[in-house]
Amino acid sequence: MKIEGLSAVVTGGASGLGAAAAEALANAGVKVAVLDLNRDTGEALAARLGGVFCHCDVTSEVTVETALAAARSAHGVERILVNCAGIAIGQRTVRRNRDDGAIVPHNLASFEKVVAVNLVGTFFMMTQCAAAMMA
C-alpha cells in the first residue's frame, strides 16, 4: 500500500511509541499531525517532521474535535490513525501503610483515569477518525 502523501493523526505523538510512529510515517512521506497534551515536546517534534501539532486530551470531546479540525485544516482528512496516547499508574492493587499498618486499596479515581485514556480515549479517536474517513 502506498502511504506517501496521505495524512496521519498520531495520538500520544510527542513521546515514546507515538513519537517513533510519527517519525516513521513522516520519513515515509506521510503528512503527520502530532496530537498530545505535551505542547512543548509536541510542537518541537512536529516542526522537525514538517507536521503540525494539535493539543489534545483524548478523554475530552471538545479537545478531540478541536485537534482533529486543526489537523484536517492543515493536511486534509486523515487516512491513518495511530493511537499511542496512554498512561500507567505505578500503584499496587493494595498496600500496607508504613506508618500505621493500615491496608490501603488502589485509588479508584486513578484507575478510572487509566481506563478513560487507554480504552475510552482510544475508542473515541477510532470512531471520530473512522467517520471522517467514510465521509
Side-chain angles (χ1 to χ4, degrees):
M1 176 180 181
K2 179 182 178 286
I3 63 171
E4 184 177 356
L6 295 180
S7 297
V9 168
V10 181
T11 68
S15 63
L17 290 174
E23 189 164 349
L25 287 165
N27 289 339
V30 174
K31 297 176 280 188
V32 177
V34 174
L35 277 63
D36 205 289
L37 289 172
N38 188 331
R39 187 175 304 276
D40 292 338
T41 306
E43 286 177 346
L45 178 64
R48 187 168 59 79
L49 301 178
V52 62
F53 172 76
C54 305
H55 184 264
C56 184
D57 173 354
V58 296
T59 68
S60 163
E61 287 185 51
V62 171
T63 67
V64 166
E65 290 169 0
T66 302
L68 288 175
R72 291 170 185 155
S73 176
H75 296 149
V77 174
E78 65 279 1
R79 294 292 173 216
I80 300 168
L81 167 65
V82 179
N83 270 312
C84 284
I87 59 172
I89 303 296
Q91 192 174 1
R92 294 180 179 162
T93 305
V94 66
R95 67 179 176 82
R96 215 175 264 287
N97 187 314
R98 291 182 187 203
D99 295 332
D100 61 11
I103 296 172
V104 181
H106 189 290
N107 177 298
L108 184 58
S110 296
F111 180 73
E112 288 173 335
K113 180 69 175 175
V114 169
V115 171
V117 172
N118 298 355
L119 180 61
V120 178
T122 296
F123 178 77
F124 184 54
M125 288 300 302
M126 289 169 31
T127 63
Q128 298 308 297
C129 292
M133 290 176 194
M134 283 183 68

